Structures are given as C-alpha cells and as structure tokens.
C-alpha cells in the first residue's frame, strides 16, 4: 500500500500537469462559432496566424504562458457555444499563396571578340543538352523512414515543397524538447541526443533539403537551427566566450562534441565548430552527406540582418528562415555569405561536356560563370595589401569606386534653400541590386593596354583624366565618392568613364586593364533577389498597385504588420549589400601581414572589379537622377550617403520634392516613389535648420535624418 508521502507526491504531480486543451477539431469549431479569424486570434495570443493554424491542426501545441491564456479563451467559448451552435458569419481566412520560383534569365552565347561584351551566360536547355556527370547529378533519394511527426496533421502541412526528395522543406529549428519545427507549421520529433545522432537523423529521416537552383548546380544541404536549450541538450555550451571577434568563435579541438564528431567519422570544415558549422563526409559517388548547423545562442543570426529573429519562438524562426530559404537560398552563414553563395548557385562553375576523343561526359566550364579557379586582379583593382601589389611594387594608384559620402558646403547653399522648412531624405530601394541589373562584367583575367580607345561596352579599369569636366557646383561630382572634382588622372571603372562621355565630354585613357570575356554574370542573382524583395513587401501589405499616397502610408506601418516577414525583408536587403561586399573581402585578424594571401583570395568569387562595377553604376545612376530631378523641379540635394539623398523641401512629404506632370504622373528619369529596386521611399524628415547645423559641424545629414545614425554599408 502506498505511503502518505507517495500519495501526496502523486497528487502534486497531477496538479502540476499542463492544462488540457480540447481536441484540435474542437478548437477550430469554437473559434469559427465565435466568428473570429485566425489572424484576430493570433493578435490576441501575441503569436502568428500560422501558429494558430498549427494549434488547430494539431501539428503544434502552445506553451506557457500562452497555453493558459488559450485554454481560458477556449473554455469561455465552450460555455457560450455548445457543440450544436452553428458557426458565426465571418470574413474568410486569407487564401494561402503558393511559392513560385522564376528561373535565372539566360541569353545565348556570343563568340569571343574584343569589340564588345561577349555575353556568355549558360545557354538555354535543349533536347541535346548533356546530363550532368555523376559527381554533379542529383543524388538518388535515400531509402528512409518517414519523418516522425509529433502531430498527425503535420506531415500533410509540409507538402508545399515541390521536390519529392525533400518533402519537409529546407530546414528545421530544434528546441530543447526534441521538437524540430519546419516550414508550413511542420513539427517533427527528433530523438537525437548528440551531434552525430542529429546529423544521421537529418540525413536519413528528416526529409529536409532543397533542390538545386540551376540544372548544373548542387542541391542545398539541410539546415538545422539549434535553440540555446537544444544546444545544451546536445552537449554544446550555451555561449562561447573569450573571443574578441565573432568570426573567430569556435569550439576547441579537444571539446567533447568535436571529439564525438571525429569519432563518428564525420568532418568539420576549416572554420571548425562555430556559429555556422558544417558537418560532412566526403562524397561517395553521387551520395553527398552534409548538414549545416546554426547555433542561435552563438549569434548565428546577426541582429542587424535578422532583427528580433533569435528571440522568436522556434516555429516563427522556422517561418522566417524557411521563407528566406525558399525565396533566396538556404542560409549557409551570414547574409553576406549567403549572398555570395547564391551567385555561385545560380551560375555554377561547371557543367557536363562530351569529350571529343572518347565520347565520355566530363566536367567542363559553364559559360557565363566565374569558373573554378581564383583569379588575380589587375594591380589598380586590388587592395594595397594584396600580393599582386606588394610583390610588383605597384605605386600607380587604385580604383576608388565607392558609394557617395557627400554633403554640400554651407557656402554653396542658397538663401532660398535655407529658408525652406524641411529636409527630406529619400532612400533608394536596394540600390546595389538595381545597379546589378543587366550589368556587363568581366569573366576572364585582365589584359594590359596602353593608350586604348575608350569603349563603353568593355568592362575594365581605365586610367584617364576627368579633372577638366566642370559640373554644377550644387551637385556632387559623379567621379568621386566624396563628390569633389578630380584633380588629375585616376583609375575608373568603365561605367564611370562612360558617364563622362554621356555628359558630352571626350575621354582619352592613358592605359587600361580590360577583360576579353564578358557577360551579365549577376543577372540571375538580381532577378531572384528582386522577386524575393517584392514578394516579401507584398506579404507586408506593400504592393505594386498602391498609388503614391497609399504607398507612403503603407511604408509607415509595414514592419508592424508582420515582424517575421519584416525580418525576412531585412535579411534580403542585407544579402544584397553583403554579397556585393564579399566580392572584395579584406584580410581579417591581427596576425595578418601585408603581402600574404588570405583565405578569401582562394575563391573564384573574390572579384573586386565586379564590386567596383556595381558601385560605379549605382553612383552614376544616382547622379543621373539628381540631375534630372533638378532640371524638372529646380531642387538640388544637400547631402548623399550611399543610397540616401537629402533635399531641402517645402513640405514634409516626398510628394513636395518629386516631379509630376499635369496628370499627376511621375516624370521619367528622376527619382520616383515605388517598391521596385532603384525607386525611392521616405527615409526621414527633419527641419532644414537642423540639416544646416549638421553641415556646419562637418557632419552628413543623410547619416542622421532617420532619427539615428544610418549604417553606411558600401559593399565592404
């Protein structure tokens, strides 16, 4: 017979059990009987409509304190609406919109010449296209048990991914209770208690992964995101301490988890076990075995790129990262790393070609890509510490193609401008992305020429004197980042020199480093990110059909409409800037010595000339628009910082600055409101006296007009 203490302990345990909710079907019935939408209920419970749907399908259960609140609500509804109560008349739920993907744009191959850009992106597929070689082809689906779902309805909810090899989407977020949250409200049970067990489960049972973005590319490895609780459960420290830089965070080689991985015959990349760890085995034939891990409590998700995401519930984190993965790419590190990886995924370096001598299929160069080998830049395209510069003793100067950091001197402001009441900042949407569109860049190594005739169709670096060009002093020079007039010969990227020619001036290059093989390498990257950006804005209520007044109103509140989708939008913008910046990644760490090679130089995508081309086009695009706006309105900017342009204004709205015709339509060629890349939105409004005061202090109003310090990210 049980003792009194045992009985009391048993009763106490019963009292401590979580509240019991009605069945999922009954939860749905009660909500519909009350005439409440999922979105309205989500607002009351401080969660997302997707999570409410998960509660009602049984694929997820609320936890405290949300559990008690939800039970209280359901009990109240149950008292009001017995089982025979008909559902109330209400607005229907918003329909779910399937994800779509527009493939990379392709243009036919052009034979190599040097009279213009040989546009060589990969040719369209035909019936005669060769199959991918064994090493590059899609892996055969493994015979695996169905992913164990914690709720019966979860499996059905996860069927939106179109590739049958990856039925459960690209990634999952693992909590400390063995639940792995995926896309479409999927919740799976993960029994792993060690990192090797987690890797095995991911590859054999989870059904996670993503199909290649290009027929010659590789499938994306599955991503498992670990919450702090999951990390501790798997034997990892909750936080990594003792490192000054985030990039140096990693477990020591003698850590038990690292030893577990090694003992199980898995490998880590050279970066070791850090915030973004890759665990893999060398491919056996076509069978690729690799899992990407991201540890949230080790700051895997930078707050600047993923605002608020690390503090979300696992299901919401899965929604954010899953949306990004399906619209952009499965994250593989920082947004900058993902942006660079996306370029390669959309322009794979190799493809299958038939060997003429044997008729066998072998791996060959994929036209339009950057190839598989790193390429040294021309000396003026490099950085001062680059071995090309140090070893050659180069002293001839460098490209200075950077984004604008310009403010008009106070003595160049007119009295009429100073009497206007407001200063308005216009922000260019994803300006670098707009500049990447249809941009011809070099694909081959640079060749050196003396006194070449300038050809605006040939990408390269030109030594030319543009100091004789005199422009309106109320505008910055388009040839320098600080807006100052050039003082003599300097190195410029093709777009900058072409703009001087467009303005009606003759140019006579002294020498140049030019590339014979060219193409619109960034086009598919631009197209995919543009679609992701516009689709995510649409999720936030900012759509193409809004007029200018409605657009401005929508942009004031869009972040509050859905914080999860706002975080996706932030990550997409960071992917653009970070990806361009990675093209010229500088050496890191105190141990680096000038003249040494650093790891980034071993990538085919270390291409400072392509970064310079994007920024050059962005800066000249901005100058072209400020000139046109001045012609149409008589207004001139007082400051520019990268993608923010500040104007003196008679009113508090951008509508008081931008040019419109008699019918109220935006004038072409000038700045115009809109959500597409290159169009503008409101950055901030201050008084004109505030802006003048900052300029007098040597500060740039564009940096502060939003109400705080704007982060300058010129693609570095």
């Amino acid at each position: 017979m049980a003792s009194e203490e045992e009985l009391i302990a048993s009763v106490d345990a019963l009292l401590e059990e979580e509240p019991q909710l009605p069945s999922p079907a009954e939860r749905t019935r009660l909500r519909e009987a009350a005439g409440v939408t999922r979105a309205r209920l989500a607002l009351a419970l401080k969660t997302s409509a997707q999570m409410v749907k998960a509660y009602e399908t049984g694929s997820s259960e609320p936890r405290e304190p949300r559990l008690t609140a939800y039970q209280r609500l359901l009990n109240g509804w149950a008292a009001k609406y017995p089982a025979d109560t008909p559902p109330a008349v209400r607005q229907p739920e918003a329909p779910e919109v399937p994800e779509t993907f527009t493939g990379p744009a392709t243009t036919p191959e052009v034979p190599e010449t040097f009279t213009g850009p040989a546009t060589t992106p990969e040719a369209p597929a035909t019936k005669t296209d060769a199959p991918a070689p064994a090493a590059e082809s899609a892996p055969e689906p493994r015979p695996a048990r169905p992913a164990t779902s914690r709720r019966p309805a979860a499996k059905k909810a996860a069927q939106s991914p179109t590739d049958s090899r990856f039925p459960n989407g690209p990634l999952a977020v693992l909590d400390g209770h063995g639940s792995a949250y995926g896309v479409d409200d999927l919740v799976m049970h993960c029994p792993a208690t060690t990192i090797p067990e987690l890797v095995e489960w991911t590859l054999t049972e989870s059904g996670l992964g993503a199909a290649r973005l290009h027929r010659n590319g590789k499938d994306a490895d599955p991503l498992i995101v670990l919450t702090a609780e999951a990390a501790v459960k798997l034997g990892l420290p909750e936080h990594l301490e003792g490192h000054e830089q985030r990039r140096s965070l990693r477990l020591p080689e003698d850590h038990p988890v690292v030893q577990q991985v090694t003992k199980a015959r898995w490998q880590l990349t050279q970066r070791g076990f850090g915030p973004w760890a890759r665990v893999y085995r060398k491919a056996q034939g076509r069978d690729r075995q690799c899992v990407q891990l991201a540890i949230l409590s080790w700051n895997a998700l930078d707050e600047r790129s993923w605002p608020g995401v690390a503090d979300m519930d696992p299901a919401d984190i899965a929604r954010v990262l899953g949306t990004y993965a399906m619209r952009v790419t499965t994250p593989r590190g920082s947004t900058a790393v993902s942006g660079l990886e996306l370029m390669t995924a959309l322009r794979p370096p190799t493809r299958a070609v038939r060997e003429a001598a044997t008729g066998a299929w072998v791996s060959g160069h994929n036209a339009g890509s950057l190839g598989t080998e790193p390429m040294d830049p021309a000396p003026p395209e490099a950085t001062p510490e680059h071995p090309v510069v140090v070893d050659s003793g180069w002293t001839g100067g460098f490209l200075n193609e950077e984004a604008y950091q310009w403010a008009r001197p106070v003595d160049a402001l007119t009295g009429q401008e100073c009497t206007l009441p407001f200063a308005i900042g216009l922000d260019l949407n994803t300006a670098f992305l707009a500049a990447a569109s249809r941009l011809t860049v070099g694909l081959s190594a640079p060749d050196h020429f003396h006194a070449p005739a300038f050809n605006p169709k040939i990408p390269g670096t030109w030594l030319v004197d543009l100091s004789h060009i005199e422009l309106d002093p109320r505008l910055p020079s388009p040839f320098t980042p600080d807006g100052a007039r050039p003082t003599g010969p300097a190195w410029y990227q093709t777009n900058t020199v072409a703009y001087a020619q467009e303005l009606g001036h003759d140019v006579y290059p002294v020498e140049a480093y030019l590339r014979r093989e060219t193409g619109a390498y960034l086009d598919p990257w631009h197209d995919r990110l543009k679609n992701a950006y516009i689709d995510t804005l649409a999720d936030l209520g900012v759509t193409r059909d809004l007029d200018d007044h409605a657009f401005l109103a929508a942009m004031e509140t869009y972040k509050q409409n859905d914080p999860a989708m706002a975080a996706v939008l932030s990550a997409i913008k960071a992917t653009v800037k970070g990806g361009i910046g990675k093209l010229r990644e500088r050496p890191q760490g105190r141990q680096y010595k000038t003249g040494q090679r650093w790891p980034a130089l071993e990538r085919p995508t270390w291409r400072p000339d392509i970064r310079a081309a994007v920024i050059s086009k962005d800066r000249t695009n901005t100058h072209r628009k400020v000139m046109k706006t001045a012609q149409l309105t008589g207004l001139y900017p007082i400051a520019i910082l990268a993608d923010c342009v500040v104007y003196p204004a008679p009113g508090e709205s951008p509508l008081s600055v931008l040019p419109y015709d008699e019918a109220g339509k935006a004038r072409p060629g000038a700045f115009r409101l809109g959500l597409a890349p290159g169009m503008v939105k409101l950055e901030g409004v201050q008084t004109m006296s505030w802006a003048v005061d900052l300029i007098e202090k040597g500060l740039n109003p564009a940096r502060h007009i939003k109400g705080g310090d704007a982060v300058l990210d010129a693609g570095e």
Side-chain angles (χ1 to χ4, degrees):
M1 183 175 180
S3 66
E4 181 180 352
E5 291 80 4
E6 291 174 332
L7 289 171
I8 291 175
S10 178
V11 170
D12 287 344
L14 186 62
L15 287 173
E16 291 175 359
E17 285 187 1
E18 291 184 345
Q20 297 298 308
L21 297 174
S23 68
E26 177 66 3
R27 302 171 201 175
T28 304
R29 185 196 73 78
L30 289 171
R31 177 181 56 76
E32 291 179 344
V36 175
T37 65
R38 285 185 181 136
R40 178 67 185 86
L41 178 53
L43 188 64
L45 293 177
K46 308 300 183 190
T47 186
S48 66
Q50 284 73 18
M51 282 306 303
V52 172
K53 180 181 176 182
Y55 301 159
E56 294 183 353
T57 60
S59 61
S60 183
E61 295 290 342
R63 295 198 296 266
E64 294 294 1
R66 192 171 288 122
L67 175 60
T68 299
Y70 190 33
Q71 185 196 43
R72 178 183 176 88
L73 178 65
L74 292 175
N75 288 344
W77 281 344
K80 286 185 177 181
Y81 310 109
D84 56 352
T85 303
V89 178
R90 60 180 179 83
Q91 294 295 321
E93 301 288 346
E96 296 184 7
V97 181
E99 301 288 350
T100 59
F101 164 57
T102 303
T106 59
T107 54
E109 297 185 12
V110 177
E112 181 183 311
T113 67
F114 202 49
T115 57
T119 309
T120 57
E122 131 323 299
T126 67
K127 293 182 179 179
T128 60
D129 281 342
E136 298 289 336
S137 62
E140 296 294 331
R142 297 185 186 86
R145 298 191 301 275
T148 304
S149 175
R150 197 174 68 172
R151 297 286 176 249
K155 186 79 175 194
K156 182 178 179 181
Q159 296 303 313
S160 63
T162 57
D163 196 307
S164 60
R165 295 171 300 144
F166 310 114
N168 293 330
L171 55 85
V173 180
L174 185 64
D175 69 9
H177 307 286
S179 296
Y181 296 78
V183 299
D184 293 334
D185 302 323
L186 172 71
V187 183
M188 298 177 286
H189 174 65
C190 175
T193 58
T194 67
I195 292 295
E197 288 177 0
L198 175 61
V199 172
E200 293 282 0
W201 174 84
T202 303
L203 292 174
T204 60
E205 298 187 39
S206 70
L208 296 174
R212 65 194 65 188
L213 298 180
H214 187 283
R215 61 192 176 92
N216 294 323
K218 296 181 177 68
D219 295 327
D221 299 316
L223 168 64
I224 300 294
V225 181
L226 305 180
T227 63
E229 296 82 2
V232 171
K233 179 181 176 182
L234 293 168
L236 298 169
E238 183 173 351
H239 301 285
L240 282 182
E241 307 291 347
H243 294 281
E244 296 179 2
Q245 294 185 357
R246 176 179 174 273
R247 66 177 61 250
S248 64
L249 289 172
R250 67 191 66 187
L251 290 178
E253 292 185 2
D254 60 353
H255 190 278
V257 170
V258 176
Q259 293 179 339
Q260 286 176 359
V261 170
T262 304
K263 186 177 181 180
R265 298 184 179 179
W266 291 99
Q267 293 179 271
L268 297 167
T269 62
Q270 290 183 352
R271 295 191 66 86
F273 205 116
W276 290 89
R278 295 183 68 78
V279 184
Y280 72 97
R281 285 181 181 145
K282 290 185 177 180
Q284 301 294 324
R286 292 178 294 177
D287 191 14
R288 178 177 171 85
Q289 293 184 294
C290 185
V291 175
Q292 176 79 64
L293 303 176
I295 298 91
L296 293 177
S297 57
W298 296 4
N299 298 319
L301 299 181
D302 192 315
E303 178 68 16
R304 295 168 297 179
S305 301
W306 303 94
V309 177
D311 297 324
M312 293 180 178
D313 289 337
D316 287 331
I317 296 173
R319 179 184 172 221
V320 171
L321 296 179
T323 301
Y324 178 89
M326 290 185 285
R327 292 182 180 178
V328 181
T329 187
T330 303
R332 289 189 56 179
S334 67
T335 49
V337 169
S338 297
L340 196 69
E341 293 289 341
L342 180 63
M343 294 180 194
T344 304
L346 294 170
R347 293 282 201 200
T350 60
R351 66 183 180 92
V353 296
R354 189 182 291 276
E355 196 173 51
T358 64
W361 291 106
V362 296
S363 181
H365 175 64
N366 186 32
S369 76
L370 298 181
T372 59
E373 298 298 324
M375 184 185 300
D376 280 340
E381 296 168 346
T383 56
E385 66 273 15
H386 196 286
V388 163
V389 175
V390 176
D391 294 345
S392 66
W394 174 262
T395 58
F398 299 95
L399 273 175
N400 189 24
E401 298 287 12
E402 302 294 341
Y404 269 131
Q405 295 188 64
W406 168 82
R408 196 168 1 139
V410 171
D411 57 10
L413 299 175
T414 66
Q416 183 180 5
E417 287 175 327
C418 292
T419 58
L420 290 173
F422 299 105
I424 288 182
L426 303 177
D427 177 57
L428 282 83
N429 301 325
T430 56
F432 286 175
L433 189 62
S437 177
R438 311 303 178 252
L439 175 66
T440 301
V441 300
L443 302 178
S444 57
D447 291 326
H448 192 197
F449 295 86
H450 292 280
F454 177 69
N455 186 336
K457 295 182 178 180
I458 301 175
T461 302
W462 310 76
L463 180 62
V464 61
D465 190 349
L466 302 179
S467 62
H468 63 284
I469 299 177
E470 187 171 352
L471 299 171
D472 193 310
R474 292 170 292 183
L475 294 176
S477 167
F479 311 127
T480 60
D482 62 2
R485 183 173 174 174
T487 57
W491 292 97
Y492 300 99
Q493 201 276 333
T494 296
N495 287 290
T496 302
V497 184
Y499 188 57
Q501 218 175 41
E502 179 185 324
L503 294 173
H505 302 279
D506 295 329
V507 293
Y508 302 100
V510 177
E511 57 181 306
Y513 288 88
L514 309 177
R515 288 171 166 80
R516 298 177 182 274
E517 200 177 316
T518 66
Y521 172 73
L522 293 173
D523 265 7
W525 185 81
H526 162 272
D527 294 345
R528 186 162 176 85
L529 285 167
K530 176 184 176 182
N531 290 337
Y533 180 76
I534 291 175
D535 290 347
T536 307
L537 272 175
D539 288 342
L540 291 163
V542 185
T543 56
R544 292 179 181 272
D545 58 348
L546 298 177
D547 62 27
D548 286 352
H549 293 277
F551 170 75
L552 290 171
M555 290 303 297
E556 288 183 2
T557 60
Y558 77 94
K559 291 183 180 180
Q560 288 73 46
N561 293 341
D562 190 337
M565 287 299 101
V568 174
L569 189 71
S570 173
I572 292 170
K573 292 190 289 186
T575 301
V576 173
K577 286 188 174 181
I580 297 300
K582 276 283 185 180
L583 293 169
R584 196 189 71 164
E585 184 177 1
R586 304 291 284 271
Q588 306 289 334
R590 295 180 178 178
Q591 305 302 318
Y592 176 76
K593 295 181 180 179
T594 298
Q596 293 178 337
R597 293 188 70 82
W598 59 95
L601 300 187
E602 307 311 316
R603 298 192 314 247
T605 48
W606 195 86
R607 291 293 303 273
D609 56 301
I610 296 180
R611 174 186 177 274
V614 172
I615 298 177
S616 167
K617 186 179 175 184
D618 168 55
R619 197 181 63 249
T620 53
N621 280 349
T622 299
H623 192 273
R624 189 180 290 109
K625 289 180 180 180
V626 296
M627 279 190 63
K628 189 65 175 180
T629 301
Q631 292 172 6
L632 295 172
T633 66
L635 294 175
Y636 291 80
I638 60 172
I640 305 176
L641 182 77
D643 51 8
C644 178
V645 183
V646 178
Y647 277 96
E652 293 184 84
S653 169
L655 300 175
S656 67
V657 173
L658 301 176
Y660 294 85
D661 61 19
E662 294 78 4
K665 294 183 178 180
R667 301 288 292 272
F671 292 116
R672 55 182 299 184
L673 291 172
L675 54 83
M679 301 178 79
V680 300
K681 58 183 178 290
L682 178 63
E683 175 76 359
V685 182
Q686 301 288 344
T687 64
M688 186 60 183
S689 60
W690 168 90
V692 172
D693 182 57
L694 284 184
I695 294 174
E696 288 179 334
K697 294 177 180 177
L699 302 175
N700 190 325
R703 183 182 295 278
H704 306 274
I705 197 163
K706 197 173 184 178
D709 283 354
V711 176
L712 174 63
D713 186 346
E716 191 58 73

